[in-house]
Amino acid sequence: MSLICLSDFEAYAKDHLPKATWEYYAAGADDCCTRDDNLLAFKRIRLRPRMLRDVSVTDTKTTVLGTEISCPIGIAPTAFHCLAWPDGEMSTARAAETLNLCYVASTYSTCSVEEIVTAAPDGFRWFQLYVYRDRKLSEQLVHRVEALGFKALVLTVDVPYTGKRRSDIRNNFRLPPHLKVKNFEGVFEEHCGPDNYGVPANTLDPSISWKDIYWLRSLTRLPIIIKGILTKEDAELAVEHGVQGIIVSNHGGRQLDGELATIDALSEIVDAVQGRIEVYIDGGIRTGSDVLKALALGAKCVFIGRPIVWGLAYKGEEGVRGVLQILTDEFRLSMALSGCRNVAEINRNLIQFSKL
């Protein structure tokens, strides 16, 4: 079977994954308006290509926080990869290592951070973190990943509570007995109450606030990136609190339905930070021209979530490599067709917002 674009991988995954698993990955909050608008918003943006620019040689390399990567495409943190492929996050890590791309490992991985590092010892990795009511849980994870050579912490800030995902409620979604949140193995063994995505309900700390950025900075020398920012006001506060980056994100439309599509929020955040910290984006990126549009609006790198799971469902590591390679090839082609020879030549002059 020849899969030539990311929507082909999506169709394959939908046909081959169990219904409840597919719906867990696909779910948005409430009516899924934000989930869907993440994709539609990219289609509202038009490109203004330049011609006769000698694009015989193109270069997709860039850097994030000073580390060179082969292309400004990374793997966003998504949970439970072993639902899609037996060795889950280990396959994901190996694919990222092979292509020299950044992989943000999720706290809610079905492989431990130690297993991920063993699978891809030379990979470039960040770690996604939540803040828990029991701060020791967060502290211990920070120290583990720093010792293992992860290069940054990605603090998710848009989940004081979990959004209402109707399909998961209808399906009574639970991890199957043979899988667990491996980073917490042994921590919740005696818990017998309500479960929320593999950990006890009410484990997340809804009191998290900006002062906790200082607390996190006191624990580690790793750079801190905040994931879940959608406004210029919060972007300014992020800079003031000394973080090194922002991921413009709405959690794939899985939290507050009706909030901004990420590509619609990007420009005001880029304008607010004025180059003082790096800005990245996830949500709705499905083609190489989507990557080009995001970079033209000021993103340093894009991160993709659901398509990685589709690749896993197809052929594990090979499938993830396939998804990333297709997106990279499409990005390179979109760059050339718009007259850009390298990432530095991509700028806002490429963009025209549709009047429709």
Side-chain angles (χ1 to χ4, degrees), residues 166-182:
R166 294 174 187 172
S167 58
D168 289 348
I169 297 169
R170 291 188 181 110
N171 294 328
N172 192 28
F173 176 81
R174 295 287 184 274
L175 275 179
H178 69 283
L179 295 179
K180 58 186 70 176
V181 180
K182 288 291 285 291

Side-chain angles (χ1 to χ4, degrees), residues 232-280:
K232 62 185 179 183
E233 294 87 351
D234 282 341
E236 283 284 1
L237 284 166
V239 174
E240 288 172 20
H241 285 79
V243 306
Q244 282 71 44
I246 288 170
I247 301 180
V248 180
S249 176
N250 54 35
H251 218 96
R254 293 161 77 84
Q255 283 299 103
L256 176 64
D257 200 28
E259 64 187 348
L260 289 164
T262 52
I263 194 66
D264 288 340
L266 178 60
S267 292
E268 75 169 67
I269 290 169
V270 168
D271 291 345
V273 306
Q274 297 182 327
R276 290 172 289 175
I277 61 175
E278 294 187 350
V279 178
Y280 320 109

Side-chain angles (χ1 to χ4, degrees), residues 137-158:
L137 291 178
S138 302
E139 261 184 67
Q140 288 163 3
L141 280 172
V142 168
H143 296 318
R144 275 170 72 185
V145 300
E146 187 164 12
L148 285 165
F150 283 73
K151 300 302 183 187
L153 296 175
V154 176
L155 178 66
T156 296
V157 297
D158 57 1

Side-chain angles (χ1 to χ4, degrees), residues 43 50 63 77 95 108 120 139 145 197 233 239 259 269 329 342:
K43 300 183 191 309
R50 299 295 306 277
T63 62
Y108 284 73
E139 261 184 67
V145 300
Y197 297 107
E233 294 87 351
V239 174
E259 64 187 348
I269 290 169
D329 292 345
N342 54 56

Side-chain angles (χ1 to χ4, degrees), residues 56-336:
S56 55
V57 178
T58 55
D59 182 5
T60 62
K61 289 194 297 295
T62 190
T63 62
V64 286
L65 297 184
T67 297
E68 185 175 277
I69 53 177
S70 64
C71 187
I73 298 167
I75 299 176
T78 52
F80 308 155
H81 288 193
C82 288
L83 285 174
W85 189 259
D87 68 355
E89 289 85 1
M90 292 188 285
S91 282
T92 306
R94 285 190 289 263
E97 179 185 61
T98 299
L99 296 174
N100 188 28
L101 298 173
C102 181
Y103 168 34
V104 186
S106 170
T107 287
Y108 284 73
S109 295
T110 36
C111 300
S112 69
V113 285
E114 289 81 7
E115 289 171 327
I116 289 168
V117 169
T118 299
D122 297 322
F124 174 45
R125 278 177 294 272
W126 297 346
F127 182 75
Q128 176 271 329
L129 181 74
Y130 289 105
V131 172
Y132 296 99
R133 291 175 191 266
D134 179 357
R135 296 300 174 94
K136 287 292 182 189
L137 291 178
S138 302
E139 261 184 67
Q140 288 163 3
L141 280 172
V142 168
H143 296 318
R144 275 170 72 185
V145 300
E146 187 164 12
L148 285 165
F150 283 73
K151 300 302 183 187
L153 296 175
V154 176
L155 178 66
T156 296
V157 297
D158 57 1
V159 192
Y161 301 96
T162 304
K164 184 178 180 181
R165 302 161 197 173
R166 294 174 187 172
S167 58
D168 289 348
I169 297 169
R170 291 188 181 110
N171 294 328
N172 192 28
F173 176 81
R174 295 287 184 274
L175 275 179
H178 69 283
L179 295 179
K180 58 186 70 176
V181 180
K182 288 291 285 291
N183 288 321
F184 293 138
E185 194 164 21
V187 174
F188 301 119
E189 294 295 322
E190 297 177 14
H191 172 77
C192 55
D195 178 273
N196 186 38
Y197 297 107
V199 302
N202 302 314
T203 304
L204 293 171
D205 188 352
S207 76
I208 183 173
S209 68
W210 285 104
K211 72 179 187 303
D212 292 306
I213 304 301
Y214 295 131
W215 166 75
L216 188 57
R217 286 176 59 191
S218 75
L219 299 180
T220 180
R221 296 182 178 180
L222 291 177
I224 296 169
I225 297 152
I226 294 186
K227 176 180 177 288
I229 300 297
L230 289 170
T231 63
K232 62 185 179 183
E233 294 87 351
D234 282 341
E236 283 284 1
L237 284 166
V239 174
E240 288 172 20
H241 285 79
V243 306
Q244 282 71 44
I246 288 170
I247 301 180
V248 180
S249 176
N250 54 35
H251 218 96
R254 293 161 77 84
Q255 283 299 103
L256 176 64
D257 200 28
E259 64 187 348
L260 289 164
T262 52
I263 194 66
D264 288 340
L266 178 60
S267 292
E268 75 169 67
I269 290 169
V270 168
D271 291 345
V273 306
Q274 297 182 327
R276 290 172 289 175
I277 61 175
E278 294 187 350
V279 178
Y280 320 109
I281 186 172
D282 67 20
I285 295 123
R286 298 292 183 267
T287 67
S289 64
D290 292 342
V291 180
L292 182 67
K293 290 170 183 177
L295 266 65
L297 288 169
K300 183 73 168 167
C301 182
V302 307
F303 290 88
I304 60 170
R306 291 183 180 96
I308 297 302
V309 174
W310 305 338
L312 281 172
Y314 178 56
K315 278 187 183 177
E317 177 189 348
E318 182 183 339
V320 175
R321 282 202 316 268
V323 164
L324 292 167
Q325 193 62 61
I326 286 170
L327 201 56
T328 297
D329 292 345
E330 289 180 355
F331 171 59
R332 185 186 296 275
L333 180 59
S334 295
M335 275 178 56

